[in-house]
Each structure stands twice: as structure tokens, then as C-alpha cells.
Amino acid sequence: MPTSPLTPIRRLLLAWYRKNKRDLPWRRPADPYRIWLSEVMLQQTRAAAVIPYDERCLERFPTVEALAAAEEPEVLALWAGLGYYSRARNVHRAARSIHAHGAFPSTYESIRALPGVGEYTAAAVASIAFGQPQAVLDGNVVRVLSRITEEPGAIESQQTKARLRGVAAGLLPRAHPGEFNQALMELGATVCLPKAPQCLLCPVAAHCAAHRSGREEQFPIRAARKSFEDVVEDFFIVMRENRILLWQRPADSRRLAGFWELPGPAELPGAARKSR
């Protein structure tokens, strides 16, 4: 049987990962609950920032049952400072769903059905915790594969993502899929960096089209950025007997749902702004 052209990449990347992988707390042991919790925290957040939150959360909620039994304000308090608070609410809802079903879901489809779990998180948990051959496609993997293949499309495009998802699936070995997924993500996080990629340290540099053409930093290609403008908002501080008036955002608010904050003109239309 002829050797696949992808085989050297698999072999080289796995060998590099086993020797150079970071000692991250959620990699020991391979507990589905811990892997799922860390993967949700890692969405749009660096591993170094996640570690203390992961440790505090597991100390307070060592099992999914403990998390399911908690009240939402306590979960949000532990999450404070990590951002993207809808993740915390979804984690809490998912924990209660898992507890109600009696066991952590063990298939890609059932993990994907949990609140707040997308394709990437479901694939990561299914492959790492349960050894299922599900390829991951997060920002690090997109960058690595875009450079290896010199992907010509903007990474925001669904067609581009579909092509890269196909490349990731083709690379994924049937044996050790979770380990390979972690190796691919680790390469993007520590070597194949957005700026100044460390190609001399890359185990698959010889198989990277962008490296061969000397265009590493031109990939991945991004669409033109949208322009943003600053918005100035007014808030009122209303005090009575050393107590401050706050209002709570609706549960379906698109921003900071359920959070308490100072009222503004929309909440106190009759209030007058005090000039300095």
C-alpha cells in the first residue's frame, strides 16, 4: 500500500508533541468533565489566563454534579475577569443537563448538543476524552494549515473553513486522534505564531508550502477589517442611606445578560445630568 503524503506530517508532529508539549493541568488526567470545562474556558482566551480560573473552578466544583448544584451567581463570580460571560451560563446549563442524564455524553453529536458547545469544542472533547476521530479547527489549527497549504482564501470565508476542515480531517490519524489534535493546536500556540513564526523550531517546516516560498507571515489571509467608532455613554450614581441604585440587564440581553450595573438615561429617563 502506498504511503500517504500526509504520513510524515503526522509522524513528525506527534513525535515533537510528545517531547515538547506544555504541562497544562487539564491534560492530566483525561477526565471528560475537566477537558470540557477547560475547552470552554479556552474559547478566545489564552491558556496562561485560563489556568488559575480552571484551578479555582475545579477546587470549588470538582465534579459536574457539584457544578450543576451551584447557583448561577456563584458560577459567574468564579468566572469574573475571564470575560465572555455567556460561556459561564452555558457551562452551568450544560452541567445541569449532564447531571439530569446521569453521565457525561460520550459521542460527538451528544457533546455538540450541550449548551454553548460548537463544532470545535465537541470535536476536541470527543477526540481527547473518548478517542473519537474528530478533527478540530480552532484559530491555531487554521493558522498552521493555512501556512502548510498556502490557503488562498480569507479565513473568515465558510468555503475556506470547509477546505481547511477537509485538510484537518485528512491529516487526522485513526490512532491517537486526541493527541494529534492537541499536537496541531500546540504547534500553533507555541511555534507557528501569528507574528514571527519560529520556523527553525517547526517539526514540519519542510512540508510547509508557505515556509518554502518564504511567505509565512502572509498567511492566513484575512478579510478587510471593519471600522469601529468610540461610543460615549452616561451613567447615574444614585445613593440613598449609603446604598447605590443598580439595575439588572435582562436574561436575553446580547451584552452582559443578567449583570447588575449603574443605570443610564434609558433606565432613569427623568434623571438630570449634574454638570461640573
Side-chain angles (χ1 to χ4, degrees):
M1 179 179 295
T3 302
S4 167
L6 302 177
T7 300
I9 294 180
R10 297 189 191 118
R11 176 176 48 79
L12 291 167
L13 191 52
L14 278 171
W16 169 84
Y17 176 72
R18 289 164 182 167
K19 183 179 179 181
N20 297 281
K21 64 182 178 182
R22 290 170 294 174
D23 183 24
L24 300 175
W26 47 84
R27 287 177 174 166
R28 53 182 202 276
D31 171 43
Y33 168 63
R34 184 164 194 171
I35 292 169
W36 160 69
L37 190 61
S38 67
E39 287 297 341
V40 175
M41 288 184 172
L42 286 163
Q43 293 170 5
Q44 298 176 290
T45 308
R46 295 179 299 106
V50 165
I51 289 174
Y53 287 90
D54 177 74
E55 292 175 342
R56 283 198 297 269
C57 194
L58 284 168
E59 182 178 357
R60 174 61 187 86
F61 308 122
T63 64
V64 71
E65 291 79 14
L67 179 56
E71 296 298 325
E72 184 178 280
E74 185 179 8
V75 178
L76 290 173
L78 277 173
W79 204 277
L82 195 58
Y84 302 99
Y85 292 97
S86 61
R87 295 182 299 175
R89 290 190 176 85
N90 284 327
V91 158
H92 193 216
R93 290 171 54 210
R96 291 186 166 179
S97 175
I98 294 167
H99 179 58
H101 285 84
F104 199 97
S106 59
T107 65
Y108 171 83
E109 292 76 14
S110 58
I111 298 169
R112 179 71 175 82
L114 292 173
V117 172
E119 292 179 352
Y120 159 73
T121 302
V125 177
S127 63
I128 298 169
F130 300 104
Q132 296 183 15
Q134 297 288 339
V136 299
L137 195 69
D138 73 342
N140 286 321
V141 174
V142 164
R143 183 168 58 257
V144 170
L145 298 184
S146 292
R147 287 170 173 167
I148 287 177
T149 63
E150 281 193 327
E151 167 55 49
I155 57 173
E156 294 83 1
S157 162
Q158 292 302 315
Q159 292 83 357
T160 299
K161 289 179 181 178
R163 284 195 295 271
L164 293 176
R165 191 171 288 110
V167 174
L171 275 171
L172 191 70
R174 302 295 294 185
H176 312 296
E179 188 179 26
F180 184 80
N181 279 336
Q182 291 181 88
L184 203 53
M185 292 186 284
E186 187 83 346
L187 186 70
T190 62
V191 174
C192 194
L193 304 173
K195 296 180 180 179
Q198 301 178 43
C199 298
L200 292 178
L201 302 178
C202 180
V204 297
H207 302 274
C208 177
H211 177 64
R212 289 197 298 268
S213 65
R215 300 195 302 154
E216 301 94 340
E217 295 199 45
Q218 295 180 32
F219 295 91
I221 294 173
R222 296 184 180 276
R225 291 189 176 186
K226 296 180 180 179
S227 59
F228 295 91
E229 61 181 37
D230 294 331
V231 176
V232 178
E233 297 185 11
D234 290 328
F235 296 96
F236 297 111
I237 299 178
V238 181
M239 298 185 65
R240 180 177 296 175
E241 297 178 354
N242 294 323
R243 301 173 70 184
I244 300 177
L245 177 66
L246 300 175
W247 77 287
Q248 187 178 27
R249 286 185 172 273
D252 59 353
S253 175
R254 295 184 63 185
R255 181 166 66 93
L256 299 177
F259 271 59
W260 294 86
E261 59 183 49
L262 293 171
E267 292 73 46
L268 296 176
R273 179 177 180 180
K274 182 178 179 180
S275 59
R276 294 185 178 183

